Amino acid sequence: SALSLMKKADARHKLDSESTRVKFVLQKEGGKKRNRVAWVQAVSDDDKGDRMRLRFVKPTKVRGLELLSIENTRGGDDDQWLYLPAFDKTRRVGVAELGDRFVSTDLFFEDLKRRRPKDYSHRILRSEKVDGEPCWVIESKPKSAKTKKESPYSKTIVWLRKDIMFVVPSKAFNRRCKLIKETRSERLVKVQDKRGGVYRANKVVVTDVKRRHRTTLLVKKRRVNPTISEEVFSRHTLGK
């Protein structure tokens, strides 16, 4: 079933922890490129919930800006906190802001959270090849009450590679069912051998089809399963 495929893909590519240095390249169609660099630390935990902390280090304009994302596994709202260095202030990101762009990129705050397959209804639309590789084409729609309330998307369509169970292209539609975003994962690398291979994309291109603007994420460094202190994911340490 589509649900079993999505669950299998989610489980296969989950790492206990990960630390990456990511370059963000922002560009409007035909315009100049703007670069940003961030460190991202993340922990995946099915019991306690996923945690992620992102800190910009370049350029000066956004240096020190941080995002902390904490998943709530008990059914409440997930927590996202934004630290603004210019004001030395931390503010909570509200549910109504999940469809807002994260620091002028083409990523929504929603995109910086883990999508759990059980919260969506899935169906297989067809099979087709992407770059010569057979894929399942799967449509997903919010299912749980919490996801229906929070998600800015009415549905997503993903192309899931059959050999490595990894999503390559995907398309996202707004609540009026209009295509708003396309994402493509490239430069796939195997970062761990367990479960047939855990893969990551060293290049991800996110395109806003309406604004004709794209954000390219380039992974410059990656550490797999490093030890990350729980203190890292305390909102009281933001800005420190």
Side-chain angles (χ1 to χ4, degrees), residues 19-22 39 202 218-223:
S19 178
T20 53
R21 183 179 175 93
V22 183
W39 276 106
N202 278 343
L218 302 168
V219 176
K220 297 300 183 180
K221 291 182 181 179
R222 175 184 283 110
R223 291 179 62 204

Side-chain angles (χ1 to χ4, degrees), residues 31-130:
K32 292 183 179 180
K33 295 180 180 179
R34 293 179 293 152
N35 297 331
R36 295 175 179 177
V37 178
W39 276 106
V40 183
Q41 292 175 289
V43 167
S44 185
D45 190 318
D46 287 334
D47 295 325
K48 295 181 180 179
D50 290 3
R51 284 93 75 204
M52 186 275 291
R53 183 171 176 173
L54 180 153
R55 178 183 175 88
F56 282 106
V57 294
K58 292 180 182 179
T60 304
K61 183 179 179 180
V62 294
R63 184 189 301 158
L65 190 148
E66 295 189 71
L67 176 71
L68 176 65
S69 185
I70 307 289
E71 180 186 27
N72 188 334
T73 58
R74 298 182 179 180
D77 292 339
D78 298 334
D79 285 325
Q80 285 186 311
W81 299 89
L82 195 63
Y83 173 73
L84 305 170
F87 304 98
D88 190 23
K89 201 171 188 179
T90 300
R91 73 169 185 85
R92 193 175 189 276
V93 178
V95 171
E97 298 176 272
L98 291 175
D100 292 350
R101 292 178 180 84
F102 173 60
V103 198
S104 301
T105 69
D106 295 290
L107 296 169
F108 292 166
F109 284 96
E110 163 81 4
D111 301 325
L112 298 167
K113 297 164 52 180
R114 179 180 173 189
R115 288 169 57 100
R116 292 192 177 268
K118 66 180 178 65
D119 293 328
Y120 297 81
S121 59
H122 311 275
R123 68 184 181 111
I124 299 173
L125 301 180
R126 58 188 180 275
S127 290
E128 63 184 32
K129 291 185 177 181
V130 174

Side-chain angles (χ1 to χ4, degrees), residues 128-190:
E128 63 184 32
K129 291 185 177 181
V130 174
D131 297 330
E133 299 293 344
C135 297
W136 283 290
V137 185
I138 299 176
E139 178 189 79
S140 303
K141 293 183 177 181
K143 178 183 177 182
S144 70
K146 179 174 179 285
T147 308
K148 286 181 178 179
K149 171 188 172 185
E150 295 181 355
S151 179
Y153 302 125
S154 64
K155 67 177 180 179
T156 57
I157 299 175
V158 305
W159 281 255
L160 181 67
R161 270 182 54 169
K162 294 183 178 182
D163 57 345
I164 59 173
M165 301 299 293
F166 197 89
V167 172
V168 268
S170 67
K171 295 185 178 183
F173 299 77
N174 66 14
R175 292 193 172 187
R176 297 189 298 276
C177 294
K178 291 186 177 180
L179 176 65
I180 55 172
K181 189 180 298 181
E182 295 178 341
T183 302
R184 189 174 181 92
S185 297
E186 303 174 1
R187 300 180 190 172
L188 303 187
V189 293
K190 184 189 286 189

Side-chain angles (χ1 to χ4, degrees), residues 175-222:
R175 292 193 172 187
R176 297 189 298 276
C177 294
K178 291 186 177 180
L179 176 65
I180 55 172
K181 189 180 298 181
E182 295 178 341
T183 302
R184 189 174 181 92
S185 297
E186 303 174 1
R187 300 180 190 172
L188 303 187
V189 293
K190 184 189 286 189
V191 298
Q192 198 172 60
D193 284 326
K194 69 175 183 178
R195 297 189 298 268
V198 177
Y199 284 79
R200 287 292 183 268
N202 278 343
K203 179 181 179 181
V204 178
V205 182
V206 184
T207 303
D208 185 314
V209 297
K210 184 177 180 180
R211 292 199 307 160
R212 295 185 179 181
H213 189 281
R214 70 174 178 265
T215 300
T216 302
L217 288 76
L218 302 168
V219 176
K220 297 300 183 180
K221 291 182 181 179
R222 175 184 283 110

